[in-house]
Amino acid sequence: MNIAVFASHGGSDLQAIIDGCKNEQINATVVVVISNNKDSVALQRAKNENIPNFHMSAKKYGSEEILAKEILNVLSQYNADMIFLAGYMRLLHIDILEKYENRIFNIHPALLPKFGGKGMFGMNVHNAVINAKEKETGVTIHRVNAEYDSGEIVAQTKVAVMENDTPEILAERVLLREHEFLVEVISSIVEGKIQLG
Ligand code: GRF
């Protein structure tokens, strides 16, 4: 199984996937990393691991349509079987959604459908969880469609919210759980326990 990972920022989730493949917890290979952000640590992590990596953005190519075409070319060049969005801050073009139908997954740092949708990313999510006085939050892995955070949920895990948690402390606890959960869920996908299209 060849995985393409899309990431916009720190890429710690990307690193967890790479490490899971390297130590054979996931029977797959990260064949390419794509980022809309040329300065992302994610691209640097890919370089460090000698994984082909590309900065690709609508700004760079002039339109969303051309960007989608270029992304599809790269995915086909590296024989990607599935796409994992690991902190990718953009919606995908319909041409990519159609070509990889049911084969695109995203990780979200809360228990969707709560605390999802436009604007619900990064610390905004953890701030909202704390403000809502939730006793638990978690991690969701879902299929990707044309809207933020609304595709079919394929796996969830809970993370406790402690009484004195700040959003920063909670974010750290959730992110640590993400790193383990990604490995568990991607290996279930690779083993066919979670169906691809
Ligand atoms: C994670 O919290 C993930 O749930 C969200 O973006 C964050 C990515 O973190 N979609 P990193 O860039 O992989 O460190």
Side-chain angles (χ1 to χ4, degrees), residues 9-14 45 85-89 106-109 122 126 175 178-179:
H9 295 296
S12 73
D13 281 346
L14 163 68
R45 288 181 192 268
L85 307 186
Y88 186 65
M89 305 304 288
N106 180 49
I107 183 160
H108 185 80
H126 306 294
L175 192 60
E178 283 184 41
H179 297 158

Side-chain angles (χ1 to χ4, degrees), residues 7 29 36 67 89 120 190:
T29 310
N36 60 308
L67 170 64
M89 305 304 288
M120 273 295 170
V190 170

Side-chain angles (χ1 to χ4, degrees), residues 1-3 31 73-82 100:
M1 179 85 70
N2 290 335
I3 307 175
V31 288
N73 285 340
V74 167
L75 294 174
S76 115
Q77 184 186 344
Y78 291 95
N79 293 315
D81 300 304
M82 64 174 269
Y100 284 85

Side-chain angles (χ1 to χ4, degrees), residues 102 104-108 110-116 138-145 148-157 181 185 189 193-195:
N102 291 325
I104 312 175
F105 299 88
N106 180 49
I107 183 160
H108 185 80
L111 293 173
L112 291 175
K114 279 183 162 183
F115 306 108
V139 180
T140 302
I141 293 179
H142 64 92
R143 292 188 209 269
V144 171
N145 60 18
Y148 286 110
D149 304 325
S150 66
E152 180 203 356
I153 293 169
V154 298
Q156 282 186 316
T157 184
F181 196 53
V185 175
I189 295 170
K193 292 179 194 156
I194 295 169
Q195 295 291 308

